[in-house]
Amino acid sequence: MDQSAKMTSRFPVDEKKLMNVLRSLIEINSVNPYLSHDGPGESEIAEYIQGVLQGMNLEVHTQQLTEKAINVIGIWWGTGGGKSLLLNGHMDTVGVSNMQIPPFVAEVREGRVYGRGSCDMKGSLAAMILAVDTLQNTGFRPAGNVILTFVADEEYKSIGTEALVKSYSADAAIVCEPSDLTAVVAHKGFVWITVEVHGKAAHGSRPAEGIDAIVKAGKLLAELERLSRELERKQHPILGVPSIHASLISGGTEISTYPDYCRIELERRTIPGEQLADVTAELDALFCRLKDADDQFQASYEITFVREPFEISNDAPIVQTLQNAYRNYFGEEQLIAGFSGWADSSLIHEAGTPTVIFGPYGAGLHGAVEYVDFDSVVQMTSILAGVIQSFCQGEK
């Protein structure tokens, strides 16, 4: 049969199977142990996904990262000559201490599936699996490889995707974070900064002998507010402005002592086009101004963690393929959007695999009541199947 004759707007997704996989995923506790001391990590959910992928006759690999952190990779080998596609999703979730619903009971109400990780992002994991299952059931065979990647630790430091990109790549990738079925083509990055302000300890009754490190830190905070206003002059067409804020502050020893030390943790959110060098130049200029204005101001900073922003052209083949699949399904144009937060897409794209973000509707990510809209998971599954069929150019 001619391949073009097989192209279809909607694929026959087995909704009962999709729901069963989704509920099974939610009912497995995969809280990230770096975020909650009693979090078990990904071992159990990875074992479940391994079994499902093996049942689909995919070639399954694992990457053991720590005692509790593991990646699972399933490869649907193509017949040859086509483009490869990587689908990415994280298995870990944030903690459950603030939840107002049973976190690991996949309750279904009014088309919503509730539970920790339902939207972020076990609905997407189920859609990734069922997209391949759906195509297999139609008799479709891709020419290029389809690589399903289920990674650890996205909610903390993304050691899962960091390890993944060292061994796996493709002609394009879709990171299946929840996106309300929009095509997300950009998101912000971030820089974490530790500032140490030094003073001189003295008895509270002897001001001439002391230098108040906390008061000096206040001057720094005032400069940060000024810098924040300056950053508003920069503008990304989708993501808006970059930002900087003080997240944590500590200092002092007792009420009757001039504090000799104050520590401040800062976060600088970056937009595409900004580099780490831009951030360090801003900070260097800020510290120079403070020292020039006050010879008693003594402080230093350290960059402790960096994640780059992400952006892909709307004209990239994977974005166009996703939009075509969406159009074939809904009969209308797909919205283009951006994330204010950060996702593993940055690491995959930076490693050389053009990447777009696409996922279902839902609410309550990291919140007290989390759910995913099941109809959108079905729609996502069918659209992903359409992307695989088109991008990987398979033949029966």
Side-chain angles (χ1 to χ4, degrees), residues 18 87-90 117-128 131 173-185 310 318 322-323 326 329-330 334-339 343 345 355-363 365 371-385 387:
L18 177 63
L87 304 184
N88 174 272
H90 65 84
S118 52
C119 189
D120 187 17
M121 55 182 295
K122 294 179 179 181
S124 294
L125 303 185
M128 289 163 56
I174 301 175
V175 170
C176 299
E177 289 279 3
S179 72
D180 296 346
L181 298 180
T182 63
V184 173
V185 298
F310 153 77
I318 186 56
L322 174 60
Q323 291 190 288
Y326 182 96
Y329 188 95
F330 285 107
Q334 184 182 34
L335 293 176
I336 296 291
F339 273 176
S345 41
T355 303
V356 66
I357 300 172
F358 174 66
Y361 284 92
L365 286 74
Y371 69 84
V372 68
D373 177 84
F374 185 68
D375 281 349
S376 74
V377 179
V378 176
Q379 293 157 355
M380 174 188 177
T381 302
S382 182
I383 292 168
L384 284 180
V387 172

Side-chain angles (χ1 to χ4, degrees), residues 216 219 288-298:
K216 300 301 182 185
K219 295 185 176 184
C288 281
R289 287 196 301 272
L290 288 167
K291 290 176 181 177
D292 288 344
D294 181 355
D295 59 8
Q296 288 188 331
F297 182 85
Q298 296 184 41

Side-chain angles (χ1 to χ4, degrees), residues 191-378:
V191 181
W192 289 348
I193 306 145
T194 296
V195 178
E196 294 183 317
V197 182
H198 297 279
K200 183 179 179 182
H203 194 281
S205 66
R206 299 187 176 188
E209 298 177 9
I211 298 175
D212 191 328
I214 295 177
V215 169
K216 300 301 182 185
K219 295 185 176 184
L220 170 65
L221 296 176
E223 281 293 306
L224 287 178
E225 187 174 28
R226 189 170 74 84
L227 174 58
S228 184
R229 290 194 297 268
E230 289 178 358
L231 292 176
E232 293 176 0
R233 299 172 186 170
K234 298 183 179 182
Q235 185 82 26
H236 186 273
I238 297 176
L239 300 175
V241 300
S243 61
I244 189 166
H245 71 276
S247 305
L248 299 168
I249 186 167
S250 61
T253 55
E254 54 195 19
I255 196 165
S256 291
T257 301
Y258 276 79
D260 64 352
Y261 179 80
C262 184
R263 176 188 176 99
I264 306 175
E265 305 284 340
L266 309 177
E267 182 181 66
R268 169 72 156 83
R269 290 281 169 165
T270 55
I271 57 175
E274 290 191 304
Q275 306 293 327
L276 179 59
D278 299 321
V279 177
T280 57
E282 292 167 358
L283 293 171
D284 288 344
L286 185 153
F287 277 72
C288 281
R289 287 196 301 272
L290 288 167
K291 290 176 181 177
D292 288 344
D294 181 355
D295 59 8
Q296 288 188 331
F297 182 85
Q298 296 184 41
S300 61
Y301 73 87
E302 179 185 6
I303 305 295
T304 59
F305 196 65
V306 179
R307 287 300 188 208
E308 299 294 340
F310 153 77
E311 186 169 35
I312 187 172
S313 168
N314 294 1
D315 297 326
I318 186 56
V319 178
Q320 291 294 305
T321 303
L322 174 60
Q323 291 190 288
N324 288 338
Y326 182 96
R327 189 182 305 112
N328 288 339
Y329 188 95
F330 285 107
E332 60 187 33
E333 295 301 313
Q334 184 182 34
L335 293 176
I336 296 291
F339 273 176
S340 58
W342 186 89
D344 278 352
S345 41
S346 175
L347 296 175
I348 298 171
H349 193 72
E350 189 178 2
T353 297
T355 303
V356 66
I357 300 172
F358 174 66
Y361 284 92
L365 286 74
H366 299 200
V369 178
E370 181 179 357
Y371 69 84
V372 68
D373 177 84
F374 185 68
D375 281 349
S376 74
V377 179
V378 176

